Amino acid sequence: MTKARPGSTHRRGRLLALTALAAGLGATAWSLRDLPAAFGRRPDGEREERVRNSPQYRDGVFHNAPSALARATGAPGFDGATARRMLFERAGRVPAHPVPTVRPATPPGPAAEGVEVTWYGHASALVEIEGFRVLLDPVWSDRCSPAAHVGPKRLHPVPVGLEELPQVDAVLISHDHYDHLDMATVKRLVRSQSAPFAVPLGIGAHLRRWGVPEHRIIELDWDETCTLGDLVLTLTAAHHFSGRGLTRNTTLWGSWVIAGPNRKVFYTGDSGYFEGYARIGAQHGPFDAALVQIGAYDAAWADIHMTPEDAVLAHRDLTAGLLVPVHWCTFNLGLHPWAEPIERLVKAAKEQAVPLAVPRPGERVDVDNPPELDGWWETVG
């Protein structure tokens, strides 16, 4: 039996450790390879001039409209105390049991001639209105993050594959945060769909970097409209912010009015409660339905995310019919318990006599004949 030479075992161990370290670094580098592209790109040239000319733009960034209703935050930005709460106050923030999902019918039939809403989870939804289909803030990745293996992970599976969706007439984006604008999903939609992307000013630069053809990009400022046949899409105000890297507010954020010849739907995107909802309701309402953000609220950012009670106030200001809550259930982005947003919303809607539908992810809601509340979340949280 041959004896190992002195020091050879140590050298082999060191070599194995270095090999493992190199493999780990390589895996990390591979997982982060898409980071620069995921951050997107700032607009330039003629598009930069259009950004600069926006009434919402000054001193190099976009701004919210002045508001007496938007509540001041409890702390200036994301401070250390908020970070500690995010890291250590985890009780109840994820569901205790699997979230039930509904697989939509495949192949899908024709678009509804009335108004129907299919919620896929978080803020992703399909609005069918008088024969048109409009896809809202689609995020099909497992994480809402610039990196595939880091960041908030999906709490339930996507109810249907992205390539299984029917052909849509438009894809609407409310703002460029990762839980609303996902690079991987956009790239897949370029291949599987032919519809244009209608986005707030500046977001077109992200889409161009990700391979969306120029003829499929429509950039709008607040109160600007694009018309696709009998479908009219209007970008309206929101009280929020934007940013995908270290810089903030170089792209605009907003909400959407989706109008057919006779019916209308509103989508809030992300927003604090502000006077804009009453103005939008007076100018564009009434609405058959509104998809309203209810989750990820906190006193530390009260000016940019609504509480469930705020959502009911906004819905009433908008003169909307059926309230369909979004921005909850799918990603752990707040500090509240998982089911708290929907529990508080149900209570506030009942007190204000606001019609409410709470679909499971993937469930299709007929706005003219909504299902009764069945409390499905009560056995999940």
Side-chain angles (χ1 to χ4, degrees):
M1 178 174 175
T2 305
K3 284 180 141 186
R5 288 180 294 173
S8 62
T9 301
H10 177 69
R11 285 195 297 272
R12 280 200 301 272
R14 187 168 58 181
L15 180 61
L16 288 171
L18 289 173
T19 302
L21 176 62
L25 291 174
T28 300
W30 178 255
S31 69
L32 299 179
R33 68 194 184 282
D34 288 334
L35 266 183
F39 290 148
R41 177 185 295 154
R42 291 193 60 154
D44 53 19
E46 295 178 5
R47 301 177 187 96
E48 179 69 34
E49 182 177 357
R50 188 171 176 219
V51 164
R52 287 196 304 268
N53 289 335
S54 167
Q56 282 59 251
Y57 191 84
R58 63 182 182 277
D59 302 323
V61 292
F62 286 99
H63 292 262
N64 286 308
S67 172
L69 288 178
R71 293 188 296 273
T73 56
F78 194 78
D79 63 0
T82 305
R84 284 192 295 274
R85 290 168 60 211
M86 185 70 77
L87 288 172
F88 300 114
E89 295 181 12
R90 294 181 170 272
R93 283 167 48 189
V94 299
H97 303 283
V99 176
T101 61
V102 176
R103 181 172 174 80
T106 51
E113 291 301 322
V115 179
E116 300 198 7
V117 175
T118 304
W119 177 57
Y120 298 115
H122 198 59
S124 301
L126 182 70
V127 173
E128 299 175 63
I129 181 167
E130 298 186 276
F132 294 97
R133 287 188 171 103
V134 179
L135 185 61
L136 307 179
D137 283 352
V139 174
W140 256 251
S141 291
D142 286 336
R143 297 181 186 269
C144 53
S145 166
H149 303 290
V150 180
K153 186 174 175 59
R154 184 177 290 277
L155 300 176
H156 64 79
V158 183
V160 64
L162 190 64
E163 285 72 22
E164 296 178 78
L165 291 182
Q167 288 297 298
V168 302
D169 297 282
V171 180
L172 304 189
I173 304 297
S174 63
H175 63 293
D176 72 358
H177 288 158
Y178 293 103
D179 56 322
H180 295 259
L181 178 63
D182 177 58
M183 179 181 71
T185 301
V186 168
K187 288 184 171 183
R188 290 169 63 186
L189 286 171
V190 170
R191 298 189 296 269
S192 65
Q193 298 279 344
S194 59
F197 292 78
V199 302
L201 279 180
I203 292 180
H206 300 327
L207 302 186
R208 291 179 187 95
R209 182 169 190 180
W210 302 338
V212 180
E214 188 65 39
H215 71 275
R216 290 181 61 181
I217 300 174
I218 301 169
E219 291 187 79
L220 300 177
D221 204 342
W222 290 349
D223 299 318
E224 289 185 342
T225 291
C226 67
T227 301
L228 305 171
D230 288 331
L231 178 67
V232 180
L233 307 171
T234 303
L235 182 71
T236 43
H239 201 277
H240 200 56
F241 72 107
S242 66
R244 296 179 71 82
L246 299 178
T247 58
R248 281 189 172 188
N249 301 339
T250 57
T251 64
L252 187 58
W253 49 93
S255 54
W256 285 99
V257 173
I258 304 166
N262 304 293
R263 311 291 296 269
K264 293 180 181 178
V265 172
F266 182 74
Y267 169 48
T268 63
D270 280 5
S271 179
Y273 179 64
F274 75 128
E275 295 87 341
Y277 292 123
R279 290 195 294 267
I280 293 166
Q283 184 175 357
H284 298 282
F287 297 96
D288 296 277
L291 288 79
V292 185
Q293 170 255 305
I294 68 164
Y297 47 82
D298 191 82
W301 50 83
D303 61 331
I304 50 96
H305 274 177
M306 288 187 285
T307 65
E309 295 78 14
D310 292 334
V312 172
L313 292 176
H315 189 80
R316 289 171 61 90
D317 289 348
L318 290 161
T319 62
L322 186 69
L323 194 163
V324 180
V326 298
H327 204 270
W328 78 285
C329 178
T330 305
F331 297 108
N332 178 12
L333 301 177
L335 296 168
H336 51 67
W338 175 81
E340 182 183 288
I342 200 61
E343 292 169 350
R344 288 173 56 173
L345 181 73
V346 169
K347 181 175 182 293
K350 183 176 181 179
E351 290 172 350
Q352 298 293 323
V354 168
L356 179 65
V358 185
R360 296 160 177 78
E363 188 173 358
R364 191 179 186 189
V365 172
D366 182 345
V367 168
D368 296 327
N369 187 28
E372 292 186 8
L373 298 181
D374 61 7
W376 62 264
W377 56 90
E378 295 170 358
T379 61
V380 176

